Amino acid sequence: AQSVTQPDARVTVSEGASLQLRCKYSYSGTPYLFWYVQYPRQGLQLLLKYYSGDPVVQGVNGFEAEFIKSNSSFHLRKASVHWSDSAVYFCASGTNAYKVIFGKGTHLHVLP
Amino acid sequence: EAAVTQSPRNKVAVTGGKVTLSCNQTNNHNNMYWYRQDTGHGLRLIHYSYGAGSTEKGDIPDGYKASRPSQENFSLILELATPSQTSVYFCASGDRGERLFFGHGTKLSVL
């Protein structure tokens, strides 16, 4: 069955620190993988996506993610966070059958 | 920029009443989705569609029906609303493997 797991409900880091938000997926084939961000009282915005090719993908605002097939992971990273990165981050998985599902999200709080 | 419009933005319904949430997209996307967002659960997929006339069950379809009468429109129907269906509902559209475009959400309260 298709599933997405984000094990960390909340992450707190200081401004300027590095960041990793974890995501693991379950799917028998190769899924489309996405990271979205949701700012307060807004809809979801795409940060980056992956399907094939270079396993490290670059996204907007300095975010990147690495697809590791052996670990079924697609963790999101940023070298240096800013207070404005505080938001909820969702990992998502899509399949050839059109279904797209999301993890429960990780609340990121950046301390100024 | 792709446009996805949901209506209404806010809705208060009574238990046992019928509720219809509407979604319209203007970018000719094949796929459309209905999610609900609840604290602690993230976004959960209710129904989705890959074209006019098609509807598919998502992960939590019980208590919900969907209708896709045209490429542009996708409705979510609660025939007998219950308080447990109080939530924020998001509609989204997109093509396979591509990003989803989300509406602004509908806040539904069932009293």
Side-chain angles (χ1 to χ4, degrees):
Chain A
Q2 183 187 6
S3 69
V4 176
T5 301
Q6 293 181 247
D8 304 309
R10 301 186 68 89
V11 170
T12 300
V13 297
S14 297
E15 192 170 30
S18 63
L19 172 71
Q20 177 172 279
L21 301 182
R22 296 184 291 167
C23 173
K24 297 202 73 171
Y25 68 90
S26 175
Y27 179 59
S28 57
T30 300
Y32 302 92
L33 295 166
F34 308 84
W35 275 98
Y36 288 84
V37 61
Q38 185 180 33
Y39 297 102
R41 296 172 294 282
Q42 295 187 27
L44 277 74
Q45 303 170 31
L46 181 72
L47 284 176
L48 49 81
K49 71 171 187 177
Y50 173 81
Y51 179 65
S52 64
D54 189 336
V56 179
V57 291
Q58 304 296 320
V60 298
N61 296 333
F63 286 96
E64 68 174 29
E66 183 173 8
F67 171 67
I68 302 179
K69 187 173 183 178
S70 61
N71 197 35
S72 299
S73 67
F74 190 58
H75 301 333
L76 182 70
R77 303 189 298 234
K78 188 171 184 178
S80 176
V81 297
H82 187 264
W83 65 266
S84 60
D85 292 325
S86 295
V88 182
Y89 291 79
F90 291 97
C91 183
S93 148
T95 73
N96 286 331
Y98 314 102
K99 187 177 179 182
V100 180
I101 64 170
F102 288 76
K104 292 185 177 181
T106 298
H107 287 251
L108 173 64
H109 182 49
V110 180
L111 300 172
Chain B
E1 178 80 358
V4 178
T5 304
Q6 293 181 231
S7 61
R9 293 291 296 270
N10 292 281
K11 173 74 176 179
V12 178
V14 296
T15 297
K18 182 177 180 178
V19 177
T20 300
L21 306 183
S22 300
C23 179
N24 175 275
Q25 56 104 355
T26 59
N27 287 276
N28 201 34
H29 288 150
N30 289 319
N31 306 330
M32 296 187 74
Y33 305 82
W34 277 107
Y35 297 90
R36 61 178 285 178
Q37 183 174 21
D38 304 284
T39 302
H41 292 280
L43 277 81
R44 292 181 289 175
L45 180 63
I46 306 170
H47 284 288
Y48 61 104
S49 167
Y50 50 82
S54 82
T55 60
E56 300 290 331
K57 293 181 179 179
D59 293 335
I60 54 164
D62 292 346
Y64 302 93
K65 289 172 56 178
S67 174
R68 182 88 182 269
S70 65
Q71 183 80 340
E72 297 79 20
N73 296 295
F74 190 40
S75 298
L76 186 68
I77 303 151
L78 291 66
E79 294 279 4
L80 294 171
T82 68
S84 65
Q85 294 175 311
T86 293
S87 185
V88 179
Y89 292 84
F90 284 97
C91 176
S93 73
D95 288 323
R96 189 177 68 186
E98 301 300 325
R99 63 167 291 190
L100 295 184
F101 292 85
F102 285 84
H104 287 286
T106 295
K107 186 175 182 180
L108 173 65
S109 297
V110 183
L111 305 178

